[in-house]
Amino acid sequence: MLIKRFAIAAAVTIVLAGGTIAADVATAPEAQAACYGSVTRSMGKNNSCTRARHWNAIRQSNTRYGPWVTRGKWSKQAACWVNVVSYGMTAR
């Protein structure tokens, strides 16, 4: 549920900023969000997606991504980033 709320908030933010990605974020299927779990600020586990990776959105900096991983593996950040405003997983 937290991931879904974050996706909606991200879509609203992007739309307000004039972006064009909002439709993709807002229409992400529920099944995709369920394919990963155990997401923390520094890592996330890919439970059943073909590929997934962890990310950290950082205030006044670029988003930092963990490596793409296959089913059953953990995507971990390379460092403990400061000023993290949100985090999550992206699936492919």
Side-chain angles (χ1 to χ4, degrees):
M1 186 57 115
L2 180 61
I3 294 170
K4 184 176 181 180
R5 279 191 230 155
F6 173 75
I8 291 169
V12 170
T13 302
I14 292 169
V15 168
L16 293 175
T20 58
I21 303 172
D24 292 338
V25 174
T27 59
E30 286 288 328
Q32 186 176 10
C35 73
Y36 48 81
S38 304
V39 180
T40 68
R41 186 173 168 175
S42 61
M43 67 181 119
K45 185 176 184 189
N46 178 355
N47 291 331
S48 61
C49 301
T50 302
R51 291 170 43 109
R53 68 179 174 176
H54 185 271
W55 54 266
N56 286 140
I58 302 175
R59 181 180 297 118
Q60 298 178 355
S61 185
N62 295 330
T63 300
R64 308 297 182 175
Y65 295 94
W68 286 104
V69 294
T70 56
R71 291 178 182 101
K73 304 271 170 65
W74 288 86
S75 176
K76 299 178 183 178
Q77 291 292 327
C80 183
W81 307 108
V82 295
N83 296 324
V84 173
V85 293
S86 62
Y87 58 87
M89 292 279 289
T90 299
R92 227 189 237 182

